[in-house]
Amino acid sequence: MTDKKQSDPLLKELSLCDEIIAVKCSQPVSEALKLLQSENIHTVGVLDDFGDCFVGLLTAFDIMTFLCFRSYRIDQMPEEISAIKSLDTPVGDIVQVFHEETNRIWHFSDFDPISKTFEPFTLGVHQAVVTTSDNKFKFVSQHDVVKFLVDNERVPHKSLTEVSLASGTHLVTVDPSKSALFAFRRMEISHCSALPVVASSGRVFSTISASDVRYVSPDNIGCILQPINKFVETIHGHIEEPLTCFASESVATVAKKLLSTHHRHLWVIDSDHKLMNTVTLSDVIQASTTPCK
């Protein structure tokens, strides 16, 4: 929990990434996907065709929504040929279309206090734009802020149970027999950027995430129609163990797990590996910045 006596450091004190990597409006969606994959990032900036003005941001989640509702239209039988053609769609046609996070860009100066990011980041915004004193544009992300909180020992050592993160209601999951297309559509409808893949036994088997679409290309887009585990195996070469924790683990431990794996979500499980809740970076920031009572 926060201590009001602590100093309020500035965003310039964080080790932010290099300048925002960008594509131009006229470039195809397939080029944006290649860039997201090669740079291992979740978001690109979108420039006008002169390359000197930002018109918005484009995330892997935006492209996922485009693929599952535009490339494969919900009112038609899935056709791989039309999906491949859709990857030629100019980026400018889908920027600022799907999600509030990229419709409204949170923008800060590097002389703003880090605490100014707490509100949007607890509400689920994943990154914001920072203008530096030398007129460069950089991202500050939830990961950057959680790392700051961990490094400065501001993340509580209370258990997930103690901070009411151990269990949840209306948990959104997906069955491994469903297609990746089905899972992506469920993510969009449920406003989730990742889902636990849960077997009939209730055991959390794996994870499917919007960031997985970074590995989709015209050569393999048909794999979206495959069962989730086959899709994950096709794009990654293997099925990763899901990132999980127990309710008895501390918020600080969970934060370190998320940072070390570069994940935004993990699944809280019981002793039988059955799902109890989802914990996100937003939850960690909320638990770490709520004033002590």
Side-chain angles (χ1 to χ4, degrees):
M1 299 295 182
T2 57
D3 183 342
K4 291 182 180 179
K5 293 183 179 179
Q6 288 179 304
S7 61
D8 201 355
L10 307 180
L11 284 166
K12 67 177 183 176
E13 297 174 44
L14 298 179
S15 298
L16 300 180
C17 63
D18 294 331
E19 285 190 81
I20 293 175
I21 297 170
V23 293
K24 293 183 179 179
C25 279
S26 60
Q27 288 183 262
V29 171
S30 59
E31 289 299 316
L33 281 172
K34 287 179 185 177
L35 200 55
L36 290 171
Q37 179 184 353
S38 64
E39 300 293 334
N40 193 27
I41 54 179
H42 294 272
T43 307
V44 292
V46 180
L47 299 169
D48 64 15
D49 285 331
F50 297 102
D52 56 12
C53 178
F54 272 106
V55 299
L57 302 176
L58 187 69
T59 68
F61 196 22
D62 291 327
I63 297 178
M64 180 210 78
T65 304
F66 168 73
L67 288 175
C68 67
F69 286 105
R70 297 277 186 89
S71 297
Y72 291 104
R73 293 178 60 85
I74 200 164
D75 57 347
Q76 296 176 358
M77 288 293 291
E79 292 184 7
E80 188 173 334
I81 292 176
S82 60
I84 291 171
K85 288 180 179 178
S86 72
L87 293 181
D88 291 330
T89 301
V91 165
D93 287 2
I94 67 170
V95 72
Q96 294 187 327
V97 170
F98 298 114
H99 301 117
E100 184 178 351
E101 180 174 7
T102 44
N103 290 346
R104 175 188 178 181
I105 301 173
W106 287 85
H107 186 208
F108 302 102
S109 158
D110 62 355
F111 281 94
D112 283 328
I114 295 170
S115 60
K116 284 191 73 171
T117 67
F118 293 166
E119 179 186 357
F121 284 171
T122 57
L123 295 174
V125 173
H126 296 116
Q127 66 274 308
V129 175
V130 176
T131 304
T132 64
S133 54
D134 53 355
N135 292 316
K136 293 181 179 179
F137 295 96
K138 297 186 175 185
F139 281 133
V140 59
S141 69
Q142 286 182 320
H143 275 99
D144 295 321
V145 170
V146 170
K147 184 177 187 305
F148 162 78
L149 294 169
V150 168
D151 290 346
N152 288 272
E153 298 186 351
R154 296 194 185 185
V155 181
H157 289 273
K158 292 182 177 181
S159 71
L160 297 182
T161 300
E162 292 177 285
V163 296
S164 303
L165 288 174
S167 60
T169 57
H170 307 296
L171 300 176
V172 182
T173 67
V174 67
D175 187 279
S177 65
K178 298 294 186 180
S179 69
L181 178 62
F182 178 92
F184 289 145
R185 286 176 174 168
R186 176 164 287 187
M187 282 184 219
E188 171 61 20
I189 292 168
S190 305
H191 308 292
C192 302
S193 58
L195 290 177
V197 182
V198 177
S200 56
S201 64
R203 184 183 179 94
V204 180
F205 184 80
S206 61
T207 299
I208 185 167
S209 167
S211 63
D212 289 331
V213 303
R214 295 179 297 174
Y215 302 92
V216 170
S217 70
D219 296 329
N220 69 6
I221 193 170
C223 68
I224 288 179
L225 302 178
Q226 296 174 338
I228 292 167
N229 290 337
K230 180 65 175 174
F231 165 78
V232 172
E233 218 169 4
T234 298
I235 62 171
H236 293 301
H238 65 285
I239 298 174
E240 283 188 9
E241 287 290 318
L243 186 63
T244 60
C245 69
F246 296 107
S248 58
E249 293 183 55
S250 70
V251 180
T253 298
V254 166
K256 291 172 184 176
K257 281 187 177 184
L258 290 167
L259 289 176
S260 65
T261 57
H262 301 285
H263 281 61
R264 291 173 172 169
H265 311 71
L266 57 62
W267 319 120
V268 185
I269 56 173
D270 63 15
S271 57
D272 294 320
H273 288 256
K274 293 184 178 180
L275 184 68
M276 295 176 62
N277 202 15
T278 301
V279 175
T280 68
L281 289 172
S282 297
D283 295 321
V284 171
I285 296 170
Q286 176 75 54
S288 305
T289 59
T290 301
C292 297
K293 295 181 179 179

